[in-house]
Amino acid sequence: MKFFVDTADIAEIEDLAASGLVDGVTTNPSLIAKAGKPIRDVIAAICATVEGPVSAEVTAIDFDGMMEEGQALAGIAPNVAVKVPLTWDGLKACRALTQRGHKVNVTLCFSANQALLAAKAGATFVSPFIGRLDDIGYDGMELIRQIRAIYDNYEALDTEILAASIRTPFHVTEAALAGADVATIPPAVLKNLAKNPLTDKNLDGFLADWKKTGQSIL
Ligand code: E4P
């Protein structure tokens, strides 16, 4: 499973990318707003830090506007994946941008039929939003399972399932079990994946025993 980091904070991205465990980045208009800098500068800085796909989202909602913005975003760096919303115009833009050789992430996916359409439109990634479905009392993970089952029925559908709106380490485990190709994870959640109180407790025990020996490895 690939790990993308879900943030537009360049300092956080640099910190996490140094681990070698980050395969890409996703941003959205809210995350760019939070970064407080011009979108082109933010995306260029992220693309220079991470080799993998960096999702940058259009804000136009009509086909022509999405095409114009999408091509401008794709021109920032070769690893930009243009993010378009899962609307009819967004699907048309996905098809057209894909045909022009751009990577496209179709976002705001909340149903299996929407994911089927995104794949037919040639999306590189489809982003089902787990947390936002859970928020309204639906089972976000069930959507990942349905999309996985549908895509696996048709060899021609090669869109990657990018589990988005991940809020907890449990979401990551469940998305991996459900066969999501990618999880995009907020920095704090990504760091929490490594944490376990038993690891800390037992490490303390080993180090206490080691100290008693008076030895040094070097
Ligand atoms: C990523 O592409 C999405 O924009 C993001 O995961 C949304 O997460 P949220 O629902 O926690 O804001």
Side-chain angles (χ1 to χ4, degrees), residues 96-131:
L97 289 164
T98 301
Q99 282 171 344
R100 284 165 173 73
H102 302 304
K103 290 180 277 298
V104 179
N105 176 359
V106 179
T107 190
L108 293 169
C109 173
F110 292 96
S111 79
N113 282 337
Q114 287 183 317
L116 190 48
L117 285 167
K120 286 180 69 66
T124 316
F125 304 105
V126 66
S127 291
F129 275 39
I130 298 169

Side-chain angles (χ1 to χ4, degrees), residues 6 26-28 83 105 107 127 129 132 164-167 184:
D6 196 25
T26 52
T27 68
N28 62 37
K83 217 171 171 191
N105 176 359
T107 190
S127 291
F129 275 39
R132 293 192 193 198
S165 192
I166 279 184
R167 306 272 175 77
T184 189

Side-chain angles (χ1 to χ4, degrees), residues 72-205:
L73 291 169
I76 295 172
N79 54 333
V80 166
V82 179
K83 217 171 171 191
V84 299
L86 213 157
T87 59
W88 204 254
D89 278 33
L91 291 167
K92 281 165 60 187
C94 172
R95 162 69 67 202
L97 289 164
T98 301
Q99 282 171 344
R100 284 165 173 73
H102 302 304
K103 290 180 277 298
V104 179
N105 176 359
V106 179
T107 190
L108 293 169
C109 173
F110 292 96
S111 79
N113 282 337
Q114 287 183 317
L116 190 48
L117 285 167
K120 286 180 69 66
T124 316
F125 304 105
V126 66
S127 291
F129 275 39
I130 298 169
R132 293 192 193 198
L133 277 167
D134 289 356
D135 287 346
I136 59 159
Y138 285 67
D139 180 355
M141 210 53 69
E142 181 55 22
L143 176 57
I144 303 285
R145 289 184 208 104
Q146 287 180 353
I147 300 170
R148 181 75 282 154
I150 289 168
Y151 284 7
D152 286 351
N153 280 343
Y154 303 98
E155 217 173 288
L157 302 182
D158 56 2
T159 298
E160 292 189 44
I161 303 171
L162 196 171
S165 192
I166 279 184
R167 306 272 175 77
T168 65
F170 186 64
H171 274 157
V172 178
T173 308
E174 287 289 295
L177 285 169
D181 300 287
V182 189
T184 189
I185 311 171
V189 176
L190 186 49
K191 285 200 164 173
N192 275 343
L193 298 185
K195 285 190 190 158
N196 189 293
L198 283 176
T199 303
D200 296 339
K201 179 172 178 282
N202 286 287
L203 179 59
D204 286 348

